[in-house]
């Protein structure tokens, strides 16, 4: 304990130098922490939300935009597809399960998604209270929606045209909350789910929907030729479908097929370019911090050589002086690393609070095991920066130092 106190006092003998070293270490660690947490959360969201979805079929346009709008709900759809044509694809022998989606409305920025009962099984949805929607204008809402919008079973609300703002409220049609989903830890926590007929009604379709479903789970509506879906979520029936079905959609229809796995990988690779650049920048800062700690300890050793020699004459061993210098480097870097990790979590949480999209929202309250590597890196930096000054302290010639002073 005396050795620790002595090391601590030596560190703060020059508070400006100590503060600068701590700042450099903390800044580099904070950047690495933010990047580590953000990339981990983004990758987890991409994997979790696209699980069990092999393909997305939608209107021609950007494949990435189609994936982002139909699986992650953080972009605008590429358009609509004719229901008649979509039904043909849904009955294809390559398709095990096809889930239709209809979008276009929101409630205070929360997307209202029209779908059928297949969506429930696709995501393995469970209820916290109430029931799943059965009739048009019944809504089952995500756990986060219930909390943030203060909605409960039996509450009524009006949707608004568009996906982000309530610019054109549909006052002539009222939704009723009939169920609240248990927390799913995926996109459904932030969605309002209803039947496809509800979306059609909101946009001028006077036809009444039938509450019964056929064997594909598709609602049986009249006038199918005039109706549209936003997209289809597809599960393959066999491995052969991976090669055949997307090619068939892209070449023989006016629709496009996009693979969530391919587009998610491409998206993450694009994000990864910026992440890698910032990581190298953070590592450069950590390297500068290591040099700074080394210079600080080296200069401190020269200035304290006489004091260390006196300690030797009073009975301190060479090993104790070596440990003293090493401990100084370790204390300095580990404190800086801990400050940086805490700062990184705080910054990311602050960023998350200002994110408009609930689907892409990140949090700083998540702790991952990879952060242990940051602590190990901090210890390594302290050890490397202190090793040369510590060796010099160990090899110092006691008689020469005393004679000079």
């Amino acid at each position: 304990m005396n050795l620790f106190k002595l090391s601590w006092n030596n560190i703060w003998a020059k508070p400006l130098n100590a503060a600068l070293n701590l700042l450099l270490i903390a800044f580099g660690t904070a950047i690495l922490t933010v990047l580590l947490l953000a990339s981990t959360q983004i990758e987890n969201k991409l994997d979790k939300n696209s699980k069990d979805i092999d393909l997305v079929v939608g209107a021609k346009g950007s494949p990435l935009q189609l994936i982002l709008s139909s699986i992650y709900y953080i972009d605008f759809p590429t358009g609509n597809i004719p229901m008649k044509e979509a039904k043909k694809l849904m009955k294809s022998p390559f398709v095990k399960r096809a889930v239709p989606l209809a979008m276009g409305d929101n409630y205070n920025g929360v997307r209202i998604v029209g779908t059928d009962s297949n969506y429930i099984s696709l995501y393995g949805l469970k209820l916290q209270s109430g029931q799943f929607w059965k009739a048009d204008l019944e809504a089952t809402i995500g756990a986060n929606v219930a909390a943030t919008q203060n909605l409960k079973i039996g509450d009524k609300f009006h949707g608004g045209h568009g996906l982000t703002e309530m610019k054109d409220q549909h006052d002539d049609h009222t939704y009723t909350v009939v169920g609240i989903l248990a927390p799913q830890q995926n996109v459904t926590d932030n969605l309002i789910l209803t039947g496809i007929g509800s979306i059609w009604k909101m946009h001028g379709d006077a036809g009444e929907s039938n509450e019964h479903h056929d064997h594909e789970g598709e609602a049986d509506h009249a006038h199918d030729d005039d109706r549209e879906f936003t997209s289809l979520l597809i599960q393959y029936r066999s491995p052969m479908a991976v090669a055949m079905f997307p090619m068939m959609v892209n070449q023989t229809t006016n629709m496009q097929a996009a693979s969530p796995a391919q587009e998610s990988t491409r998206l993450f690779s694009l994000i990864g370019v910026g992440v890698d650049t910032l990581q190298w920048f953070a590592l450069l800062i950590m390297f500068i911090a290591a040099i700074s700690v080394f210079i600080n300890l080296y200069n401190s050793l020269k200035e304290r050589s006489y004091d260390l020699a006196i300690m030797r004459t009073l009975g301190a061993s060479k090993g104790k002086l070596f440990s003293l210098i090493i401990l100084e480097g370790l204390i300095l870097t580990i404190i800086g690393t801990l400050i940086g990790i805490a700062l990184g979590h705080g910054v990311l949480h602050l960023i998350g609070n200002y994110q408009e999209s609930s689907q892409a929202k990140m949090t700083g309250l998540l702790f991952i095991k990879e952060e242990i590597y940051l602590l190990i890196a901090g210890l390594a930096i302290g050890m490397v920066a202190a090793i040369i000054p510590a060796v010099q302290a160990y090899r110092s010639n006691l008689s020469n130092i005393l004679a000079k002073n």
Side-chain angles (χ1 to χ4, degrees):
M1 189 63 180
N2 291 334
L3 189 63
F4 180 84
K5 285 184 177 180
L6 187 58
S7 297
W8 180 261
N9 292 334
N10 288 338
I11 289 171
W12 291 101
K14 290 188 175 182
L16 186 61
N17 288 341
L20 178 61
N21 290 330
L22 285 176
L23 181 62
L24 286 170
I25 296 168
F27 185 56
T29 306
I31 294 176
L32 289 173
T33 302
V34 169
L35 295 176
L36 185 62
L37 290 174
S39 60
T40 299
Q41 290 182 59
I42 291 171
E43 190 170 11
N44 287 342
K45 285 178 183 289
L46 292 176
D47 292 339
K48 187 177 293 185
N49 293 327
S50 63
K51 183 182 178 183
D52 298 328
I53 301 174
D54 298 316
L55 199 73
V56 179
V57 175
K60 295 286 188 181
S62 166
L64 180 58
Q65 183 180 346
L66 178 59
I67 297 298
L68 292 177
S69 62
S70 298
I71 295 182
Y72 306 114
Y73 305 95
I74 54 176
D75 203 346
F76 294 94
T78 54
N80 291 324
I81 56 177
M83 180 178 176
K84 183 178 180 180
E85 297 299 318
K87 274 189 168 183
K88 292 179 182 178
L89 293 180
M90 295 168 71
K91 295 176 181 179
S92 169
F94 292 120
V95 176
K96 176 183 178 182
R97 176 187 289 154
V99 182
L101 300 180
M103 293 180 280
D105 292 338
N106 78 97
Y107 173 66
N108 293 334
V110 179
R111 297 197 181 194
I112 300 173
V113 178
T115 186
D116 66 14
S117 58
N118 276 322
Y119 194 91
I120 299 171
S121 55
L122 178 67
Y123 282 97
L125 301 182
K126 296 180 180 179
L127 290 166
Q128 179 176 290
S129 58
Q131 64 183 25
F132 291 109
W133 70 95
K134 293 181 179 178
D136 290 347
L137 301 180
E138 289 185 347
T140 303
I141 63 177
N144 292 346
V145 178
T148 58
Q149 303 298 328
N150 295 316
L151 292 174
K152 58 185 183 298
I153 304 296
D155 283 353
K156 298 182 182 300
F157 65 92
H158 295 97
H161 186 64
L163 299 177
T164 55
E165 298 179 3
M166 296 278 287
K167 290 182 178 179
D168 182 17
Q169 187 167 304
H170 300 299
D171 294 326
D172 51 340
H173 293 94
T174 304
Y175 283 102
T176 302
V177 178
V178 297
I180 298 174
L181 296 174
Q184 307 294 318
Q185 305 302 319
N186 58 30
V187 290
T188 60
D189 289 339
N190 302 300
L191 296 177
I192 296 173
L193 302 176
T194 187
I196 292 179
S198 303
I199 305 299
W200 286 334
K201 277 188 175 182
M202 290 293 166
H203 297 90
D205 191 334
E208 292 296 324
S209 70
N210 190 321
E211 295 179 17
H212 300 287
H213 299 75
D214 64 18
H215 65 279
E216 284 92 12
E218 179 61 47
D220 182 18
H221 289 265
H223 313 300
D224 287 355
D225 291 351
D226 300 328
R227 290 174 174 166
E228 295 178 319
F229 293 144
T230 301
S231 58
L232 297 176
L233 305 181
I234 302 291
Q235 274 188 336
Y236 292 141
R237 186 178 296 277
S238 65
M240 185 182 298
V242 177
M244 301 293 294
F245 190 74
M247 183 173 62
M248 181 188 75
V249 173
N250 291 325
Q251 294 183 0
T252 65
T253 73
N254 290 324
M255 297 173 278
Q256 71 164 329
S259 166
Q262 292 179 2
E263 297 304 320
S264 296
T265 300
R266 190 162 70 90
L267 174 62
F268 200 76
S269 66
L270 293 173
I271 296 172
V273 173
V275 170
D276 290 342
T277 302
L278 290 174
Q279 282 179 340
W280 282 111
F281 177 66
L283 291 172
L284 177 62
I285 293 174
M286 298 287 279
F287 178 71
I288 294 172
I291 294 175
S292 179
V293 171
F294 164 73
I295 293 173
N296 185 41
L297 292 175
Y298 187 79
N299 290 335
S300 176
L301 175 64
K302 289 196 298 184
E303 294 171 2
R304 290 185 290 133
S305 59
Y306 182 72
D307 296 333
L308 295 175
I310 293 298
M311 288 176 61
R312 287 283 308 281
T313 61
L314 295 176
S317 65
K318 288 184 177 182
K320 188 171 184 178
L321 296 186
F322 181 89
S323 301
L324 179 68
I325 304 300
I326 292 292
L327 193 57
E328 287 181 27
L330 293 177
I331 291 172
L332 197 58
T333 52
I334 200 63
I335 290 176
T337 302
L338 290 173
I339 292 173
I341 291 174
L343 184 62
H345 278 271
V347 168
L348 189 63
H349 197 67
L350 187 63
I351 292 172
N353 288 336
Y354 284 96
Q355 284 181 290
E356 294 183 1
S357 173
S358 56
Q359 308 296 1
K361 197 178 184 70
M362 291 182 288
T363 176
L365 300 180
L366 174 71
F367 292 87
I368 56 179
K369 61 182 181 180
E370 285 79 5
E371 291 179 74
I372 297 174
Y373 299 134
L374 294 179
L375 289 173
I376 295 174
L379 288 171
I381 288 172
M383 182 72 73
V384 171
I387 193 71
I388 294 178
V391 169
Q392 285 196 331
Y394 183 86
R395 292 180 175 179
S396 58
N397 190 306
L398 181 61
S399 57
N400 287 344
I401 293 174
L402 293 175
K404 289 179 181 179
N405 292 273

